[in-house]
Amino acid sequence: MTPHGACPPRLPDGIRACLFDLDGVITKTDVQHRQAWKETFDPFLSEYEGEAGRPFSLGDYMRHVDGMPRHEAVHHLLASRDIPLPPGDSHDLPGQDSENALANRKDELLTRSLDDEFIEAYPGTLRFVRAARQAGMRTALVSASSHCAQVIGACGADHLFDTRIDGHTARERRLRGKPAPDSYNEAASELRVAPGEAAVFEDGPAGIEAAVRGSFGWIVAIDRCGRREDLLKPGPDLVVDDLAELLQPSTTHARQAPTRGPANPRHLERLHVRDPRSDQSHQHQDGPGP
């Protein structure tokens, strides 16, 4: 057991840092993102016929939108339906006249939702993050969202992360959005670890692809929506329903422990229970948190 009676995290040998996506991994705000996108796209798409006019779906969210910067997400969704729309610019008023206008409409709806609704974290993820830090791991928050600081602060978990790379960081440092690996590479650099020494925890195909392209040491997909087939395509090492599954005490390897099973066998024989006593000099001390 780690301090305070928590189960230790099960991580492969050589992993020194854990990098987490925000929406759908740490907080339940993925639901608000999906709803904001649907309320943005459905009125626009209703003007078109056939496949182009089909209402925005969970599959659309997973394959074309989740994890991407807003303006890139709009372009990707419209391109999938062969709908031409001028790009406009970031100052376009929220509306339907350009890709950026649609992106700004989505942000308007999401901002209203985040201001009005309670922001809740996934308990299993918070338990895993705390256990990882108590075992000597450094931790980072990596999100395309410009609302990242607001969201993680609202659920009282900002103290659990050593650094944050979000939408504001990406613009300031000119980082490409997911599925490019730039944001995860930047987080690893700030934590002073090589990509191969870092684990990435994601709930969207674009983020998983970013971690694969960045050659990160261990990539875990979290299936919150029953879309395991979409998560498997980019090639994660493991798919789980909740990160609490990686806190189960066990002396066996990953073929027997996670409930959803592995997606990629390259780390199976290295997965083990991290003993915090082996890393006491680097151990983090965290407050009680939520």
Side-chain angles (χ1 to χ4, degrees), residues 33-43 55-57 109:
H33 278 272
R34 290 199 301 272
Q35 185 61 32
W37 278 121
K38 186 168 182 60
E39 291 179 16
T40 297
F41 280 127
D42 279 359
F56 183 76
S57 68
L109 292 169

Side-chain angles (χ1 to χ4, degrees), residues 255-273:
R255 291 185 191 275
Q256 296 173 331
T259 59
R260 297 305 298 269
N264 186 326
R266 67 189 176 107
H267 291 300
L268 290 179
E269 303 305 324
R270 299 197 289 123
L271 189 65
H272 73 292
V273 175

Side-chain angles (χ1 to χ4, degrees), residues 135-154:
M137 300 290 104
R138 303 205 73 196
T139 53
L141 191 55
V142 181
S143 172
S145 177
S146 298
H147 300 277
C148 185
Q150 174 191 358
V151 169
I152 200 66

Side-chain angles (χ1 to χ4, degrees), residues 25-39:
V25 174
I26 298 169
T27 61
K28 300 181 181 182
T29 43
D30 54 316
V31 176
Q32 287 155 285
H33 278 272
R34 290 199 301 272
Q35 185 61 32
W37 278 121
K38 186 168 182 60
E39 291 179 16

Side-chain angles (χ1 to χ4, degrees), residues 28 83 89 126-127 142 149 151 177 179 200 205 217 230 256 286:
K28 300 181 181 182
I83 297 176
D89 63 52
L126 295 186
R127 286 171 52 209
V142 181
V151 169
V200 171
D230 289 322
Q256 296 173 331
D286 296 314

Side-chain angles (χ1 to χ4, degrees), residues 216-235:
F216 280 83
W218 199 43
I219 304 164
V220 178
I222 306 170
D223 183 11
R224 305 289 193 193
C225 304
R227 302 286 301 191
R228 189 170 187 264
E229 66 279 6
D230 289 322
L231 297 175
L232 284 170
K233 289 176 183 177

Side-chain angles (χ1 to χ4, degrees), residues 207-218:
I208 297 166
E209 182 179 342
V212 170
R213 288 168 61 178
S215 299
F216 280 83
W218 199 43

Side-chain angles (χ1 to χ4, degrees), residues 17-23 26 67-69 138-152 158 160-178 180-193 198 200-202 207 210 216:
C18 295
L19 316 181
F20 300 86
D21 181 35
L22 176 67
D23 303 296
I26 298 169
M68 297 183 183
R138 303 205 73 196
T139 53
L141 191 55
V142 181
S143 172
S145 177
S146 298
H147 300 277
C148 185
Q150 174 191 358
V151 169
I152 200 66
D158 48 344
L160 294 177
F161 301 93
D162 297 301
T163 192
R164 182 181 73 244
I165 305 296
D166 60 15
H168 295 296
T169 314
R171 284 191 294 274
E172 291 167 0
R173 303 182 190 179
R174 298 185 178 181
L175 305 177
R176 294 173 299 169
K178 303 170 187 177
D182 298 27
S183 56
Y184 279 116
N185 285 338
E186 190 77 1
S189 177
E190 290 207 356
L191 296 182
R192 299 184 180 180
V193 298
V200 171
F201 302 89
E202 267 280 357
F216 280 83

